[in-house]
Amino acid sequence: LGLRVGMIDTERTAVYAAEQAAFDGTDLESVQPFEVVVAAIDAVTSGAWWPGPGVRVTSTRRDSRSSSARLVDDSVTEIRLSREQMTVATAAHELAHALAGPAAGHRALYRAAYLDVVAVMTNIDSVDRRHHIHVEQLAEAFRDAGLSVGERRWPPPPESTGSAIAL
């Protein structure tokens, strides 16, 4: 995820556990068609708030079990989604890597980006707006795991985006 060889992302496992605690059993973890997940990502990155780089979404090889995000040049992050992880939660996780930048790993700045992406992604559809429920679940899971959240280096997300897509 953009870390140099030799750098250890020691907080990755704790973030994965926090995600599971926050989202397991919710519709954010339901496997969706590729097009639905891409539409959710596009709705965030094409919206007025998105302060991150351009994003390109592809699927992984059929036998791949994990998703990833990597900077392919100075202005585009490629998100690769595996069939097993074709969920809104995974899309938010990988999009947070794009926003925080590859050097952030899964550390505090990344976690701030993750909370902001979840806030936007789960409040796009004005009919199915989640307000802060999933953000609060994830923030609580981070606290319970002893994971701090950094200060964002971008504007805060709006309370709602006003556009509608189905998740």
Side-chain angles (χ1 to χ4, degrees), residues 28-83:
L28 298 185
E29 281 292 336
S30 298
V31 174
Q32 301 289 328
F34 178 74
E35 296 77 19
V36 170
V37 178
V38 170
I41 291 170
D42 286 347
V44 173
T45 60
S46 66
W49 169 75
W50 180 248
V55 172
R56 179 174 62 223
V57 184
T58 63
S59 56
T60 61
R61 297 181 326 270
R62 279 179 105 50
D63 62 339
S64 180
R65 299 186 70 192
S66 63
S67 299
S68 64
R70 67 184 181 101
L71 197 61
V72 292
D73 65 40
D74 289 339
S75 61
V76 176
T77 296
E78 180 181 59
I79 294 175
R80 297 176 51 123
L81 298 170
S82 75
R83 292 171 58 119

